[in-house]
Amino acid sequence: MVLDFNTTFNLNRDVMPWVLLHGSPVQERIAQKHEVLGHLGPGIQNPAEKSSRTLRMVNVERNGNVLYTWKGTSGLTCIGLYEPNLAHNKLLYYFEDDVHVISCSLNRENTLLAVSYCMSAEENRCLPHWSGLRYMAVLVEIQPINNVRVIKVVETSMRVQFLYPTAEGLHQFPESHLLVFSEEKYIELCHISVATENGNDVVITTKGQFPKDRIAEDVVWAQWDAPGQRLFFINPKHSSCVLHCVQFYPDDHFKYVFEVPLEITLSDQTLSLVNLGCDLCDESGKGRPASPYLQVFTNKMGGLCLIYVHPFPVAQEITYQAIFLHKGYTKTFKAATTMTDSSRLTKVAFIHLDSYVAVYVPNQFLHLVNITHPELLCYHLFLTGTDAQLSGMCCDCNVQSLWRSCAAECCTGIVFSVGISTEALLSLLSRTKLDCERLAILHIILLHQSHLEMKILDWLCGHLSVCRSFDPIQEFIIASSYRNVSTDAVHLDKLLPYTSVPLWNEEIQGVSCTTDLTDMPILKVGAFKGFWETFHSELEYMKVTRQRFQYGSNMHRRDWYKLINEVDTREKRNAIYQRTVLENVKKVILHMGTWRIDHRRAPLHQEEDYHDKELMGLMMVKLKDHLSQHLLHVSKSKIDQIVVDYVSKQLDLVCLIVEFSCRQYNVEPCAFGFHGKGSPSEYYLFQIMCLISEAAGRMCMPLPPGYHTLHLVLGVRCLPLENLLHCIDSQILHLTEAFVIKLLKELDDDEKNEKMKYSIILRLPERISAKVHHLWDHAISNNFIAMKYLNRSLSRLKTQELNRQSSPVRGTRRIDFLPLNYLIMMLSEIEERAHNNPFEDDNIDAAFLEEIALKQTAVLLGLHRKLEN
């Protein structure tokens, strides 16, 4: 099962034994009257049986405390408290009448209990004008129980909820503040002053009516966000609805944060309430509305999403909307079902998972809607069949999302902590045949589960060629690098790529999606703190631009190739450039950690790969410039550290893939030498490194020093010479100085090796060839030395020859072949200059070069055949 449900509270397990043994004054009264419980009269019901039958959960407070109620046989109604941190139950209050508790809430200091309840018909008859008085809200002093104050007596149902100070405010307040939600469609905030007497006794000091603030009127829907102490509510306006948000603060004030129009339709006949107690039918026969089709979700990244299910499904199809207020657009999903009865829509459940919201329809589908990166449908995980089932849940009970990673079944009295099962995701990743599911699972794991990198690598090794719509190596490197630095600065998550798939045009079976622009919230406050600061920055960024900085995009690929061409230009060879680039590279190499694994098998970072190091340094310079343009509020040293972290993480991941592959397929250390033929495991490692090189090229990122040398060595062992040379010519393999030196030193000069050496030397860049020819004592190498020398000498004398007005031909001999005559003249000048300047680097025997030049000229003219005859 994709979702893990772990029971944190169970009414029958955590409360029922205490109620039966200690917590029921009903049992005590009956036991005193009848001496023993077993001698009840034939018409008297067993109190234990009635307590277990009427025990139910009423509310879960922000700190996790659970409020519950049960009834005894003598007409008492009891309210109890379970504190999960102490695993302790306590009786808070009991009514000596048989009432139905609708809602109750306990303040943070556990000194005041607010209760709204419905009086039975018998109790109403005892009151004057009883026909119009059925619902009552009272405030109880419970430390000690010595006073009960009436808050309101009305004809409609009410809900009550105490405000809780934020986690930072640990001090007690002289006031408690209580929200009252009336079905007459208004919301009030009551202010209750308290004082301490006789040490620990807390009493209410407010005389008369409690001071009240009218928070909202004409409300058709409201949701209480307990962790954030926020209230969302909707007012109908013409043909649409307007969503409002109120933020409550510990110091007795509140602010209206924003309002935004929504293109949805809600019934204005009844008031729907979310996260304000458990929704159960009352004993008067008046049932609460079905579970709401609308709920708001926030996450720590500044995301604010509203999920709305259309209440009237079209033939075997459910339509639901995800309104991403922080992005400014709405996604409308249409999911196929096998339902024939629309009443089953009452079982739709929303489960908050921080970066995801699970939309669950029993026996139909489970849809993990991505809040943080909702752009494409492939970033959401849509499951049907057995993969969409939830274990341990009651099919006939609706799941109510209390807050992030917490849900409740009110009918069974169970509270769950909910999370995404990584084991189930990995199992699904291994057996699914759909690229959309593979990509969505990788997105979930790589962006939110850092400890599972090795598990993903294990999957990568066996499934590199199964993905057709995306590159899993790219997804692994990009997503893991993004996760490593995305929370370091505001907006940084928008300036770096988070996935390898910028576009997705394939359909996903069972669900369709359309995207529409929507209005962004109008913020009404000037100063932002906590969540609202992040939310505001999201809005401001989306208003300015929606473009992302991605190295793999076509927009930046041209700049990357320009960097490659700039590496060897002389204009870049200045002291400032060298110092900047090499300092950047040094920081990255020192910051890397994966390659320091003891007893590592892959010999990476054991050479100076100048080309990739300079590309690395240049890329860091470009990335710093870009981040500096957008992160104006971030210091230069912080940006430098972000860039070092990002680049080193990318290189670390490449090293990790190579090292893991070596260990996974038991590649021996001898595989990194030229002697012997490659084994199947070495050939597989060579393929993986080819895929890494290809992925890095598309991502426009450098590779760790030593990578190309290792890749070339494996190519020599695993490929025929023709295929090896083809890979070099196609830029699949990149020649390095370390590889050529290793090749010339370790291989002898038999016919096969000589052919290989000659073929590779022919393909060497000038920068490398000038350094390695002297290592091979062979006629071919000597020939190249002479050719390079002559080419360099002729280039130097070209300017002098053009400026020379007239000059007699000098030389030790005269030949009737003018080109050779000219060559001898220049060589004589070089030899003479060498005698006059013994410190010049190009001090080579001119006679030797004359002989080589004469032979080459004879070969070119075909004269060597005549001389031989």
Side-chain angles (χ1 to χ4, degrees):
M1 307 302 172
V2 172
L3 298 185
D4 271 337
F5 285 83
N6 297 315
T7 302
T8 58
F9 171 80
N10 189 320
L11 201 61
N12 291 327
R13 180 194 68 190
D14 300 320
V15 176
M16 180 63 71
W18 178 85
V19 169
L20 297 178
L21 294 178
H22 307 289
S24 178
V26 176
Q27 294 185 44
E28 295 177 2
R29 288 190 175 189
I30 296 179
Q32 292 175 0
K33 186 180 295 186
H34 299 279
E35 294 183 358
V36 291
L37 294 177
H39 294 83
L40 296 177
I44 301 177
Q45 187 181 22
N46 189 316
E49 179 183 349
K50 184 170 184 180
S51 296
S52 62
R53 180 173 55 83
T54 58
L55 181 65
R56 67 181 181 88
M57 183 170 62
V58 182
N59 195 13
V60 181
E61 298 288 6
R62 178 189 179 186
N63 56 12
N65 290 347
V66 181
L67 297 169
Y68 52 88
T69 181
W70 77 94
K71 296 181 179 181
T73 57
S74 300
L76 273 71
T77 303
C78 307
I79 299 174
L81 168 70
Y82 177 78
E83 298 175 285
N85 294 333
L86 304 174
H88 174 69
N89 286 281
K90 179 169 63 174
L91 176 66
L92 295 178
Y93 185 74
Y94 65 88
F95 294 92
E96 294 186 356
D97 304 316
D98 185 0
V99 300
H100 176 69
V101 176
I102 298 172
S103 171
C104 61
S105 181
L106 184 68
N107 68 347
R108 178 168 182 169
E109 293 78 18
N110 292 358
T111 57
L112 299 178
L113 174 68
V115 185
S116 72
Y117 60 93
C118 172
M119 294 181 291
S120 62
E122 289 75 11
E123 297 296 331
N124 275 316
R125 290 191 181 95
C126 300
L127 297 174
H129 311 293
W130 66 270
S131 59
L133 303 176
R134 297 189 58 203
Y135 296 92
M136 181 176 289
V138 297
L139 191 63
V140 180
E141 297 173 356
I142 61 173
Q143 191 177 336
I145 302 176
N146 57 8
N147 189 18
V148 176
R149 293 281 300 273
V150 176
I151 300 175
K152 193 180 288 289
V153 180
V154 293
E155 298 181 3
T156 57
S157 177
M158 292 175 288
R159 297 288 182 99
V160 290
Q161 177 62 56
F162 272 108
L163 299 183
Y164 273 56
T166 59
E168 294 79 9
L170 300 179
H171 60 281
Q172 294 185 351
F173 294 92
E175 281 191 340
S176 289
H177 309 282
L178 179 71
L179 284 170
V180 179
F181 300 81
S182 172
E183 284 195 352
E184 294 181 350
K185 300 181 181 179
Y186 63 84
I187 304 172
E188 290 182 334
L189 177 63
C190 299
H191 306 284
I192 304 148
S193 297
V194 296
T196 302
E197 295 182 355
N198 300 326
N200 295 325
D201 296 350
V202 177
V203 296
I204 301 172
T205 60
T206 303
K207 304 299 182 180
Q209 295 292 325
F210 296 110
K212 299 176 183 178
D213 289 319
R214 183 63 64 97
I215 302 297
E217 295 180 341
D218 299 326
V219 179
V220 296
W221 173 92
Q223 175 183 326
W224 175 242
D225 179 9
Q229 295 293 283
R230 293 183 284 265
L231 174 66
F232 299 96
F233 64 91
I234 290 179
N235 297 121
K237 187 176 182 180
H238 304 297
S239 59
S240 63
C241 298
V242 179
L243 174 67
H244 302 263
C245 179
V246 179
Q247 176 70 64
F248 295 93
Y249 298 94
D251 50 351
D252 187 24
H253 77 283
F254 59 90
K255 290 184 178 179
Y256 293 88
V257 180
F258 72 77
E259 64 179 29
V260 59
L262 303 175
E263 295 183 0
I264 61 175
T265 303
L266 294 179
S267 172
D268 58 357
Q269 301 300 318
T270 58
L271 172 64
S272 295
L273 300 174
V274 181
N275 290 346
L276 286 162
C278 296
D279 293 324
L280 294 175
C281 294
D282 58 37
E283 293 182 349
S284 65
K286 183 178 179 180
R288 294 287 307 163
S291 65
Y293 301 129
L294 179 68
Q295 194 162 347
V296 174
F297 301 93
T298 61
N299 68 359
K300 58 186 178 182
M301 299 298 293
L304 198 156
C305 174
L306 187 145
I307 306 291
Y308 170 68
V309 178
H310 290 210
F312 306 105
V314 183
Q316 298 185 347
E317 183 181 76
I318 292 180
T319 301
Y320 52 100
Q321 291 179 320
I323 305 173
F324 304 101
L325 296 179
H326 60 297
K327 297 289 186 180
Y329 57 80
T330 299
K331 287 191 174 294
T332 302
F333 302 99
K334 293 184 179 180
T337 69
T338 58
M339 291 191 308
T340 57
D341 184 7
S342 62
S343 63
R344 293 189 62 84
L345 262 182
T346 59
K347 306 301 179 184
V348 174
F350 305 138
I351 303 172
H352 193 190
L353 302 167
D354 191 34
S355 295
Y356 291 83
V357 174
V359 180
Y360 174 64
V361 180
N363 302 319
Q364 299 297 327
F365 65 83
L366 173 68
H367 189 182
L368 297 185
V369 179
N370 193 326
I371 299 178
T372 308
H373 303 120
E375 286 79 7
L376 300 180
L377 186 56
C378 58
Y379 302 151
H380 311 263
L381 182 60
F382 185 83
L383 300 174
T384 57
T386 57
D387 294 326
Q389 295 179 359
L390 302 182
S391 61
M393 306 298 294
C394 178
C395 296
D396 296 328
C397 185
N398 186 53
V399 180
Q400 181 177 338
S401 181
L402 300 178
W403 47 76
R404 186 177 305 136
S405 303
C406 184
E409 280 184 346
C410 293
C411 62
T412 59
I414 300 177
V415 178
F416 302 93
S417 64
V418 190
I420 299 177
S421 172
T422 53
E423 293 184 0
L425 285 180
L426 290 171
S427 175
L428 179 61
L429 182 63
S430 298
R431 54 188 168 83
T432 184
K433 305 297 182 183
L434 302 176
D435 275 1
C436 59
E437 291 185 358
R438 294 189 184 109
L439 183 58
I441 294 171
L442 287 175
H443 198 84
I444 294 173
I445 295 177
L446 293 174
L447 291 181
H448 309 288
Q449 307 289 337
S450 60
H451 62 284
L452 293 177
E453 280 186 351
M454 303 305 290
K455 296 287 184 70
I456 295 299
L457 280 179
D458 189 20
W459 176 82
L460 279 177
C461 288
H463 298 80
L464 286 173
S465 59
V466 299
C467 301
R468 298 182 178 180
S469 304
F470 70 99
D471 187 339
I473 293 179
Q474 279 188 324
E475 188 69 16
F476 177 77
I477 295 175
I478 292 177
S480 297
S481 303
Y482 172 87
R483 183 196 66 242
N484 192 53
V485 300
S486 60
T487 58
D488 283 353
V490 179
H491 295 329
L492 188 59
D493 58 321
K494 305 168 190 65
L495 301 176
L496 296 173
Y498 60 87
T499 182
S500 62
V501 180
L503 298 172
W504 183 272
N505 298 320
E506 298 183 15
E507 294 183 357
I508 297 179
Q509 185 177 3
V511 63
S512 62
C513 176
T514 58
T515 303
D516 300 294
L517 295 179
T518 189
D519 293 331
M520 288 187 173
I522 301 174
L523 298 180
K524 297 183 176 182
V525 293
F528 303 97
K529 296 180 180 179
F531 168 80
W532 296 116
E533 182 180 2
T534 310
F535 179 70
H536 176 254
S537 67
E538 286 277 339
L539 293 182
E540 291 302 309
Y541 178 82
M542 294 305 297
K543 290 176 182 178
V544 175
T545 177
R546 299 190 181 192
Q547 295 180 353
R548 293 178 178 271
F549 178 64
Q550 296 185 12
Y551 293 124
S553 64
N554 293 330
M555 180 175 59
H556 294 87
R557 189 176 299 275
R558 182 172 53 190
D559 294 338
W560 176 253
Y561 289 135
K562 184 179 179 181
L563 287 180
I564 294 176
N565 294 330
E566 287 177 351
V567 168
D568 293 322
T569 58
R570 293 182 179 273
E571 290 76 9
K572 305 288 287 187
R573 303 289 171 196
N574 57 69
I576 297 177
Y577 163 79
Q578 288 286 355
R579 184 171 62 252
T580 302
V581 169
L582 295 181
E583 284 180 358
N584 289 336
V585 173
K586 184 179 179 180
K587 290 178 183 179
V588 170
I589 299 299
L590 291 176
H591 195 66
M592 294 179 63
T594 303
W595 61 277
R596 297 192 183 97
I597 299 175
D598 293 336
H599 309 294
R600 63 184 184 274
R601 300 192 180 188
L604 296 173
H605 296 275
Q606 295 182 2
E607 65 175 77
E608 293 291 328
D609 193 342
Y610 299 102
H611 189 268
D612 266 308
K613 281 190 174 182
E614 293 192 16
L615 282 177
M616 189 191 310
L618 287 170
M619 185 191 75
M620 293 175 67
V621 171
K622 294 288 185 179
L623 182 55
K624 286 180 183 179
D625 292 342
H626 180 82
L627 295 182
S628 299
Q629 294 175 4
H630 296 276
L631 301 179
L632 301 178
H633 60 288
V634 180
S635 64
K636 181 180 181 299
S637 59
K638 180 64 175 178
I639 291 178
D640 290 346
Q641 188 59 47
I642 291 172
V643 172
V644 170
D645 291 342
Y646 186 74
V647 177
S648 62
K649 181 62 176 179
Q650 283 188 327
L651 301 181
D652 254 344
L653 292 170
V654 173
C655 296
L656 187 62
I657 298 173
V658 176
E659 183 67 28
F660 184 87
S661 301
C662 290
R663 295 176 182 272
Q664 182 79 0
Y665 293 94
N666 197 25
V667 178
E668 299 295 335
C670 63
F672 308 119
F674 292 108
H675 300 289
K677 188 176 181 181
S679 63
S681 61
E682 294 171 27
Y683 183 74
Y684 185 80
L685 178 61
F686 175 76
Q687 285 185 309
I688 290 179
M689 295 187 73
C690 286
L691 294 174
I692 294 173
S693 297
E694 184 180 357
R698 289 197 299 268
M699 293 164 56
C700 299
M701 64 167 280
L703 290 166
Y707 182 90
H708 293 303
T709 298
L710 176 60
H711 199 191
L712 283 161
V713 172
L714 289 173
V716 171
R717 292 177 63 88
C718 298
L719 299 178
L721 180 58
E722 293 76 9
N723 293 352
L724 176 68
L725 298 177
H726 175 72
C727 290
I728 294 174
D729 294 337
S730 303
Q731 296 296 307
I732 298 174
L733 297 174
H734 300 269
L735 292 172
T736 65
E737 181 181 341
F739 166 75
V740 179
I741 293 175
K742 184 179 180 69
L743 180 75
L744 296 178
K745 287 184 175 181
E746 292 188 8
L747 289 183
D748 54 19
D749 290 335
D750 60 18
E751 183 179 355
K752 180 180 178 182
N753 293 341
E754 184 178 301
K755 183 178 180 182
M756 178 189 297
K757 292 179 180 181
Y758 177 72
S759 301
I760 290 177
I761 286 178
L762 276 177
R763 290 165 169 79
L764 284 179
E766 181 181 357
R767 182 179 180 183
I768 299 177
S769 62
K771 298 180 180 181
V772 300
H773 281 308
H774 66 281
L775 298 175
W776 189 22
D777 188 12
H778 191 272
I780 296 176
S781 183
N782 293 334
N783 190 24
F784 271 97
I785 292 174
M787 291 175 62
K788 295 293 183 182
Y789 178 81
L790 288 174
N791 183 47
R792 186 167 60 251
S793 299
L794 291 174
S795 299
R796 290 177 180 177
L797 293 173
K798 183 177 180 180
T799 305
Q800 298 178 9
E801 184 65 25
L802 292 175
N803 296 330
R804 183 180 301 163
Q805 298 296 330
S806 62
S807 175
V809 178
R810 302 168 53 188
T812 57
R813 66 188 74 175
R814 298 285 298 180
I815 301 176
D816 293 334
F817 184 60
L818 292 180
L820 185 58
N821 208 19
Y822 180 74
L823 178 60
I824 293 172
M825 177 198 68
M826 289 190 296
L827 291 176
S828 299
E829 289 182 354
I830 294 170
E831 185 177 11
E832 182 180 352
R833 190 169 69 252
H835 287 296
N836 296 331
N837 187 9
F839 298 102
E840 188 172 345
D841 294 335
D842 298 324
N843 189 11
I844 298 178
D845 187 5
F848 168 70
L849 295 178
E850 276 184 25
E851 183 180 354
I852 293 177
L854 183 59
K855 289 182 179 180
Q856 286 183 339
T857 305
V859 171
L860 291 174
L861 298 177
L863 300 177
H864 65 293
R865 298 188 183 90
K866 296 180 180 180
L867 294 175
E868 291 174 356
N869 295 331

